[in-house]
Amino acid sequence: MVDTGGMEKNTATQILDVAQEMVRNRGYSAFSYADISQQVGIRKASIHYHFSTKDELVKELVKRYREGMMRACDRITQSNASLDQQMFQFAQLYRNGLEEEQICLCAMLAADYAVLPQPVRDEIQAFFQETETWLTNLLQQGCDAQLWTCQPEQEAKGLIALFQGVQLLARSAAGTTTFEQVVYPLLATKFPSR
Amino acid sequence: MVDTGGMEKNTATQILDVAQEMVRNRGYSAFSYADISQQVGIRKASIHYHFSTKDELVKELVKRYREGMMRACDRITQSNASLDQQMFQFAQLYRNGLEEEQICLCAMLAADYAVLPQPVRDEIQAFFQETETWLTNLLQQGCDAQLWTCQPEQEAKGLIALFQGVQLLARSAAGTTTFEQVVYPLLATKFPSR
DNA sequence: GTCTATACGAGGATAGAC
DNA sequence: GTCTATCCTCGTATAGAC
């Protein structure tokens, strides 16, 4: 992220930040302009100046989230970490959200898929597609280097599904260390450090 | 299920059936008494006779679902199928819901967890706990018989998370055969038939 | 950019007739 | 058991003043 040097965030960004936390916690249907209004400190009507409709707001939200995810993946790629370390760092992206008891924005919206407008659906599909492509590429490198054997594409789908599923279960299992218990042993087995 | 011999379902059951489909599709916050009213063919107010509040309705819904799941698991246990076949049948329970593009009721409600009243949360926790216990037991039997090696508890958590996650991804991946692609090869590898 | 005021529909829930 | 009628709150969105 860019260092703003202590500058205040602009209102649109504040709105997106609050909206993001709310969607990740409650889902699309259970957050409102009134909620945002209260936390940002402006009136409901003022939000419409920045985002004309709720659908528009959420579309921008997912777009920002998707771009942030891709930047995080790129940083992993450009680090000089070994491939197994890169796998671990990727898993950490999901674990980090869990610390604040928040699941992936797009996992939550995947659950709400049936009630979403098409532009938002498109952004979500793009998110999963890009993530899967990135992970497939990483797995392929490991296959090429004979670090592990796998079928990269289906393995990538499976890992992403596992991460999303663990996040989902973790909130109803209330504070147990499910992520560590499930994911870490699996990574260590499948993707051993040389 | 019991053969009703052509008898009509009573109204309470019809309400639960419609509510279940709606919650699985749209989640807790995005279905209403008006929706049920329309599909069952009675007025909104009449629903309150059968279920005094929405929270009460959903609590009963999850309870019924949980009991149905446990009955299905018991049938698998009591069949004379081999352990790997039992694993496969368990996976089919999740796959079946997917055919109607519906995810597990409790996976959906796990996403909505933050907005649920406590009694519903308790039912959901019970669902996952009972499911995990059943699966852990099956895995343990396989270990004892040296059919496969594993740590049953964490393996059970991982498998359930995977199934829920695949269901979630499948709806935004729109019609691709993700479940077959991800789950079947994994089962075949981990739990080979003798 | 943010405000007040307001429109308008949908949400869950209740009272009381039949 | 189901109905009509109604209540009250909350939802998104708009108009127009400042």
Side-chain angles (χ1 to χ4, degrees):
Chain A
M1 301 294 169
V2 178
D3 181 5
T4 56
M7 272 177 57
E8 298 300 325
K9 277 184 265 184
N10 66 41
T11 307
T13 304
Q14 286 184 59
I15 292 170
L16 286 178
D17 289 346
V18 170
Q20 177 163 308
E21 200 195 320
M22 296 208 152
V23 175
R24 290 177 71 176
N25 265 319
R26 313 189 196 167
Y28 176 83
S29 306
F31 92 98
S32 69
Y33 273 37
D35 297 323
I36 297 176
S37 161
Q38 210 175 338
Q39 286 205 35
V40 174
I42 58 175
R43 296 289 172 172
K44 279 196 300 177
S46 307
I47 302 172
H48 286 280
Y49 173 81
H50 301 279
F51 303 94
S52 57
T53 66
K54 186 180 180 180
D55 290 348
E56 172 69 14
L57 195 166
V58 175
K59 196 195 81 180
E60 292 301 320
L61 184 57
V62 181
K63 181 165 176 284
R64 188 184 73 153
Y65 191 83
R66 177 171 62 79
E67 290 167 352
M69 181 66 169
M70 281 304 104
R71 277 197 298 276
C73 287
D74 284 348
R75 277 196 296 275
I76 294 176
T77 302
Q78 285 156 18
S79 76
N80 288 323
S82 62
L83 293 177
D84 61 276
Q85 283 168 340
Q86 289 189 38
M87 270 301 311
F88 181 78
Q89 285 175 42
F90 179 77
Q92 288 304 103
L93 295 180
Y94 286 87
R95 198 200 169 286
N96 291 342
L98 216 60
E99 280 177 353
E100 302 126 34
E101 295 209 24
Q102 296 214 328
I103 75 173
C104 170
L105 176 71
C106 290
M108 180 57 94
L109 291 176
D112 291 332
Y113 205 73
V115 296
L116 298 179
Q118 196 57 45
V120 177
R121 293 184 178 182
D122 293 342
E123 282 293 336
I124 293 168
Q125 290 205 3
F127 174 89
F128 286 121
Q129 188 55 60
E130 290 174 2
T131 304
E132 187 187 314
T133 299
W134 184 89
L135 186 53
T136 300
N137 186 36
L138 175 60
L139 291 170
Q140 184 64 58
Q141 290 178 55
C143 296
D144 294 346
Q146 300 188 337
L147 287 174
W148 52 66
T149 61
C150 66
Q151 296 173 282
E153 197 175 331
Q154 78 185 34
E155 189 90 28
K157 279 189 207 291
L159 282 169
I160 294 170
L162 178 69
F163 292 160
Q164 310 278 15
V166 171
Q167 288 190 330
L168 219 57
L169 291 190
R171 38 173 46 193
S172 51
T176 59
T177 55
T178 313
F179 195 90
E180 291 81 347
Q181 193 182 349
V182 169
V183 172
Y184 291 171
L186 186 138
L187 290 183
T189 304
K190 281 201 168 175
F191 314 108
S193 53
R194 99 207 55 178
Chain B
M1 301 296 167
V2 177
D3 181 6
T4 57
M7 271 177 56
E8 297 303 323
K9 278 184 262 185
N10 66 40
T11 307
T13 304
Q14 286 184 58
I15 291 170
L16 286 178
D17 289 345
V18 170
Q20 177 163 308
E21 199 194 320
M22 295 207 153
V23 175
R24 290 177 72 176
N25 264 320
R26 313 190 197 165
Y28 176 83
S29 307
F31 92 99
S32 70
Y33 273 38
D35 297 323
I36 296 176
S37 160
Q38 211 175 336
Q39 287 204 34
V40 174
I42 58 175
R43 296 287 174 173
K44 277 198 303 176
S46 307
I47 301 173
H48 287 280
Y49 172 80
H50 300 279
F51 303 95
S52 57
T53 67
K54 186 179 181 181
D55 290 349
E56 172 69 15
L57 194 166
V58 175
K59 198 194 80 181
E60 292 300 320
L61 184 57
V62 180
K63 183 165 174 284
R64 188 183 73 154
Y65 191 83
R66 177 172 62 78
E67 291 167 352
M69 180 67 169
M70 281 305 103
R71 277 197 298 275
C73 287
D74 284 348
R75 276 196 295 275
I76 294 176
T77 302
Q78 285 158 17
S79 76
N80 288 324
S82 63
L83 293 176
D84 61 276
Q85 281 168 341
Q86 289 188 38
M87 271 301 311
F88 181 78
Q89 285 176 42
F90 180 76
Q92 288 303 102
L93 294 180
Y94 286 88
R95 199 200 168 286
N96 292 342
L98 216 62
E99 280 177 354
E100 303 126 34
E101 294 209 26
Q102 296 214 328
I103 75 173
C104 170
L105 176 72
C106 290
M108 179 57 94
L109 291 176
D112 292 331
Y113 205 74
V115 296
L116 298 179
Q118 196 57 46
V120 177
R121 291 183 179 181
D122 293 342
E123 283 292 335
I124 294 168
Q125 290 204 4
F127 174 89
F128 286 121
Q129 189 54 62
E130 292 175 1
T131 304
E132 187 187 314
T133 299
W134 184 89
L135 185 54
T136 300
N137 187 37
L138 174 60
L139 291 170
Q140 184 63 58
Q141 291 179 54
C143 296
D144 294 347
Q146 300 188 337
L147 287 174
W148 53 65
T149 62
C150 66
Q151 297 173 283
E153 198 175 331
Q154 78 184 34
E155 188 90 27
K157 279 188 208 291
L159 282 169
I160 293 170
L162 178 68
F163 293 160
Q164 311 277 16
V166 170
Q167 287 190 329
L168 218 57
L169 292 191
R171 40 172 46 194
S172 50
T176 59
T177 55
T178 313
F179 196 90
E180 290 83 347
Q181 195 181 349
V182 168
V183 173
Y184 290 172
L186 186 136
L187 291 184
T189 304
K190 282 200 167 175
F191 313 108
S193 51
R194 99 205 61 167

